[in-house]
Amino acid sequence: MSLRLVESRTHVVAVEKGRVTGTIGVLAQPGRVGLVFPPELDRASPAVPGALIDAAIRRLEQAGAAFAQLTLPLEDSPQAELFLQHGFSLLTDAAVLQRSLNSPLPPSARSLQSIRCDPVDDADTLGDLIRRINQGTLDCPELDVLRTPADLLAAHRAHSMNGRARWWRFEDDGNDVGIVLGTTAEDDDAWEILFFGVVPEQRGHGFGRILLTRFLENATGETGLVRAGMDVRNAFVESVYEDRGFVETGRFRVWVHPLAAPA
């Protein structure tokens, strides 16, 4: 059997006997994140799926990615088994949430100072806040050994350029409380929450709910819908979202393949 792999900007293509029998999507993203997509096959030989996955991993390693990430439907066991055989492991299930802004917002019990942030000009301040917030995080903590706060900030910034950033940090009497980093969705007029959290020394005072309410207030008038995603293991943030009127609209399974330690 003659199997040849050809690379394009976004895919690795398998060619057998002059015919394309399989493709796999692979993208190196800012923040040293690599995205891999399930292979698409057309009368391929048994060796093709594994060869495509291995080629995608090599490509991301060469690009300097810290890890490869794959998302699959919860019920897609055959694809999951294939990726397990090639170095991927289950990270978690993720929930997709949304809140319509047509219904009233709960009042904020406490006033906080909100400061609009720029993804580039305020990078140092935001990077430090992300580092502090990630201490003891319940959102995919396994990834913290693979990526740095700077990596995480770069990934969020990539989704927020060209005027799309909806980023705020919050203070209480001059003391840091937390941040909410959002962006306008590419496919519709919704806003999406990329990251939000409270610094460790301010936890336990209800600030998470206040931050989320303030973000929703800022969104009102600009959009009618706010979306978010969360690690389903994080019961606390789930309760915060639920308390602020978010509803779950779907779930998917997240798989990862470690590639390198933080730079």
Side-chain angles (χ1 to χ4, degrees):
M1 181 197 71
S2 175
L3 170 60
R4 183 166 57 96
L5 298 178
V6 180
E7 294 194 12
S8 70
R9 187 175 64 86
T10 58
H11 288 78
V12 178
V13 180
V15 180
E16 298 179 278
K17 297 181 180 179
R19 186 176 65 85
V20 173
T21 59
T23 64
I24 189 168
V26 54
L27 293 172
Q29 299 283 85
R32 301 175 67 234
V33 177
L35 301 181
V36 177
F37 301 88
E40 298 182 6
L41 307 173
D42 180 15
R43 292 173 290 164
S45 66
V48 167
L52 288 171
I53 294 172
D54 291 342
I57 293 300
R58 288 194 299 271
R59 178 164 167 172
L60 292 175
E61 287 176 330
Q62 293 167 0
F67 60 92
Q69 179 176 300
L70 165 78
T71 60
L72 291 173
L74 300 183
E75 66 277 5
D76 197 344
S77 298
Q79 290 277 20
E81 180 61 30
L82 174 62
F83 280 90
L84 274 170
Q85 294 171 6
H86 291 268
F88 281 78
S89 59
L90 176 63
L91 176 64
T92 190
D93 290 350
V96 180
L97 312 170
Q98 70 177 34
R99 193 209 197 273
S100 169
L101 296 179
N102 293 327
S103 56
L105 299 178
S108 294
R110 187 168 178 176
S111 177
L112 296 177
Q113 181 185 8
S114 63
I115 300 102
R116 186 76 179 263
C117 297
D118 182 88
V120 176
D121 295 343
D122 298 310
D124 290 343
T125 298
L126 292 168
D128 180 65
L129 285 167
I130 287 174
R131 177 189 61 79
R132 292 160 61 191
I133 290 168
N134 270 359
Q135 295 175 19
T137 182
L138 299 177
D139 269 323
C140 302
E142 298 88 346
L143 296 182
D144 286 343
V145 300
L146 300 173
R147 64 185 178 188
T148 66
D151 291 333
L152 192 54
L153 181 62
H156 295 325
R157 185 166 53 226
H159 293 288
S160 306
M161 300 306 290
N162 301 318
R164 295 174 57 207
R166 301 295 186 268
W167 291 21
W168 282 272
R169 65 182 180 90
F170 297 87
E171 294 181 353
D172 180 40
D173 196 23
N175 298 309
D176 292 327
V177 172
I179 57 177
V180 184
L181 308 183
T183 186
T184 57
E186 292 182 334
D187 57 341
D188 54 33
D189 66 349
W191 283 19
E192 297 177 346
I193 295 175
L194 303 171
F195 181 94
F196 107 91
V198 175
V199 295
E201 63 270 24
Q202 299 282 19
R203 291 171 185 164
H205 303 291
F207 283 132
R209 287 170 170 78
I210 297 173
L211 265 60
L212 198 52
T213 299
R214 292 295 300 275
F215 183 81
L216 294 172
E217 290 171 349
N218 291 335
T220 301
E222 282 201 39
T223 182
L225 186 70
V226 174
R227 292 197 292 255
M230 55 159 284
D231 185 334
V232 298
R233 299 172 297 180
N234 194 341
F236 172 74
V237 79
E238 180 182 20
S239 70
V240 172
Y241 277 122
E242 182 178 334
D243 186 69
R244 287 308 182 248
F246 282 77
V247 295
E248 183 175 320
T249 60
R251 290 194 178 197
F252 56 89
R253 194 149 283 167
V254 184
W255 302 79
V256 294
H257 186 309
L259 300 177

